[in-house]
Amino acid sequence: MSDKKIDLTPLKKAGVPIFFIVGGPGSGKGTQCEKIVAKYGLSHLSSGDLLRAEVKSGSSRGAELTKIMEAGQLVPLTVVLDLIKEAMLKEVAKGSKGFLIDGYPREVAQGDQFEAEIMPAKLAVYFEVSEDTLVKRLLKRAETSGRADDNMDTIKKRLKTFNEATAPVVAHYEKKGKLARIKAEGTVDEIFAEVVKHLDKAIKA
Ligand SMILES: Nc1nc2c(ncn2[C@@H]2O[C@H](COP(=O)(O)OP(=O)(O)O)[C@@H](O)[C@H]2O)c(=O)[nH]1
Ligand SMILES: Nc1ncnc2c1ncn2[C@@H]1O[C@H](COP(=O)(O)OP(=O)(O)O)[C@@H](O)[C@H]1O
Ligand SMILES: [Mg+2]
């Protein structure tokens, strides 16, 4: 990624709906996004996936990112926002109908910066899950994900980061009247039925 200013004109002109997908590690963001893509044809961009791809690219910045992610901390705002902008522009060039920004914002400043530079999100969808359930799901995922951050030590740090930096994001969008709080302890389909209610309403609005 270069430091040059990214020209967002095509993205702003497209004016397609943008949804923030927020929730603790293991809350089901990726799982629900897959189902939302299948039903609504929106573009799913996971900040974590974009970062892991950057790490895989072997760029010098990638090495720095690995350390931060394995420590369960947040990578710098500009890094993750630039990755998202570039990915969104690629999708818009292919005729995207709208975006699921999965795993972003993870702190209030990220959301404000995104909305100031790109456009306001229509809705922030928040998957509410107890810490016990998050840990159980992540340890299960660890059996197959091969992710360097799916281990008990890093999980604990990610939960701390979520409580300190990301929980305020939930309050921030609730205050704006732009939060869909979805209890996400049930089955995948029960949760998805709730998601559809909120998205249908938001897309019609
Ligand atoms: N039991 C149960 N497991 C789920 C549910 N949603 C996701 N999972 C599992 O929990 C783990 C984390 O899900 P994922 O979608 O990666 O969550 P993310 O970390 O928020 O992106 C994965 O192993 C999923 O298969 C759910 O509703 N119920
Ligand atoms: N918006 C973001 N801001 C800063 N760091 C991020 C962001 N999104 C992801 N990361 C980094 O990538 C890691 C994995 O994120 P992600 O794949 O979304 O996790 P999960 O899907 O388990 O919630 C995070 O723990 C963090 O280190
Ligand atoms: Mg995920």
Side-chain angles (χ1 to χ4, degrees), residues 21-34 44 46 49 52 102-103 106 127 129 133-134 136-145 147 150 158 183-192:
I21 310 295
V22 178
S27 57
K29 299 185 295 295
T31 301
Q32 291 298 324
C33 282
E34 268 169 45
H44 173 210
S46 154
D49 290 348
R52 282 184 285 275
D102 167 3
R106 273 191 151 88
F127 293 115
V129 178
T133 304
L134 292 176
K136 267 197 217 101
R137 287 187 187 170
L138 289 171
L139 290 176
K140 182 102 187 70
R141 186 174 78 183
E143 290 167 15
T144 52
S145 72
R147 278 176 47 168
D150 275 351
R158 287 160 63 196
K183 292 208 172 312
E185 303 265 356
T187 67
V188 174
D189 289 340
E190 282 163 354
I191 296 160
F192 186 60

Side-chain angles (χ1 to χ4, degrees), residues 82-130:
D82 273 0
L83 282 170
I84 289 175
K85 283 176 184 172
E86 284 169 8
M88 289 178 85
L89 284 165
K90 280 197 193 114
E91 288 298 313
V92 153
K94 289 189 279 181
S96 171
K97 289 163 64 180
F99 292 94
L100 302 173
I101 307 296
D102 167 3
Y104 184 107
R106 273 191 151 88
E107 55 188 348
V108 172
Q110 286 187 0
D112 291 348
Q113 187 98 8
F114 179 107
E115 296 199 298
E117 292 182 2
I118 302 174
M119 75 183 78
K122 253 206 186 274
L123 190 68
V125 179
Y126 167 48
F127 293 115
E128 189 171 47
V129 178
S130 68

